[in-house]
Amino acid sequence: MPVINVTMLGGVYDAEVKTRIAEALTDAMRTVIAAPPEGVIVALNELPAGNYMRGRTFKTPGPALPDAREVVKTFLERMEARDLTGAQSMLADGFRMVFPGGVEFSRLEELIDWAKPRYNWVKKTYDDWDVAAREDGVAVTCQGTLRGEFPDGTPFEGIRFVDWFLVRDGKLSRQHVWNDLGEYVLSQAGA
């Protein structure tokens, strides 16, 4: 049974952030040791404020980052609602997205223009989410099905998709999209 002891500055992080820390440490330990979640003990110890110094200077801890899964979910909701201003505010400088066929965009307007001849609208139903820490940020993957309407008004549904995002400092820096929409179109055409 692994025990993880973490010492952090007190009075800075709320209960939700502490829960996220403990859950992330539990999950990280379970990628290396075969232990059930209830077999991993995480102890969060807090130093009283003003009881930490480095380099002869009292230090203030960094702020908690937003939950990366919620960042991605909010971005996708804003995109579905065509709130491009709100979605744009969530992107890091240098944001890149890659869509099926290897088509790359750096601006949301480019994506909207590319999608116009493909469908009138599309919405997602999520089946699963994965979040993984990386050296360069947090990888968030969501998968599920698409439903929507083609330009001629024909509805579609049940199209599988996977979206992968890299979140850095609470902003989206990369997105990769895979889906079976092209396969669906070919199957409807009798190919």
Side-chain angles (χ1 to χ4, degrees):
M1 173 168 39
V3 177
I4 303 167
N5 271 300
V6 177
T7 302
M8 47 201 285
L9 296 180
V12 177
Y13 305 110
D14 64 22
E16 184 266 335
V17 171
K18 291 176 189 174
T19 297
R20 286 175 41 212
I21 291 169
E23 288 175 348
L25 291 170
T26 298
D27 294 344
M29 181 62 73
R30 294 184 65 235
T31 67
V32 179
I33 296 175
E38 63 275 6
V40 178
I41 297 170
V42 177
L44 301 177
N45 306 296
E46 293 185 285
L47 291 173
N51 281 5
Y52 171 70
M53 182 181 274
R54 186 177 69 227
R56 295 180 169 223
T57 306
F58 286 104
K59 300 295 181 179
T60 303
L65 293 171
D67 183 316
R69 179 187 179 275
E70 289 303 314
V71 169
V72 169
K73 186 172 181 255
T74 300
F75 171 77
L76 293 171
E77 288 170 351
R78 289 177 179 179
M79 288 299 294
E80 282 184 4
R82 289 300 183 253
D83 174 9
L84 297 186
T85 302
Q88 181 70 40
S89 72
M90 303 180 75
L91 305 181
D93 290 340
F95 174 75
R96 301 292 298 164
M97 55 189 135
V98 181
F99 275 71
V103 181
E104 286 193 42
F105 307 107
S106 60
R107 293 182 21 255
L108 299 179
E109 295 80 13
E110 294 173 315
L111 169 62
I112 300 299
D113 290 343
W114 174 80
K116 280 181 186 173
R118 289 166 173 73
Y119 48 79
N120 290 333
W121 60 269
V122 67
K123 302 234 183 254
K124 296 180 177 186
T125 299
Y126 302 101
D127 294 332
D128 200 10
W129 292 84
D130 291 305
V131 179
R134 296 169 39 120
E135 185 176 347
D136 58 347
V138 180
V140 178
T141 305
C142 58
Q143 61 183 1
T145 56
L146 302 173
R147 66 187 185 286
E149 182 181 271
F150 288 115
D152 68 0
T154 304
F156 62 85
E157 64 181 14
I159 310 296
R160 297 180 315 156
F161 80 89
V162 175
D163 286 356
W164 179 92
F165 292 86
L166 182 61
V167 181
R168 287 188 190 140
D169 299 324
K171 298 278 190 173
L172 302 172
S173 74
R174 288 193 326 217
Q175 176 185 14
H176 292 264
V177 174
W178 296 271
N179 64 55
D180 289 339
L181 191 57
E183 291 294 316
Y184 177 84
V185 170
L186 287 174
S187 72
Q188 298 303 302

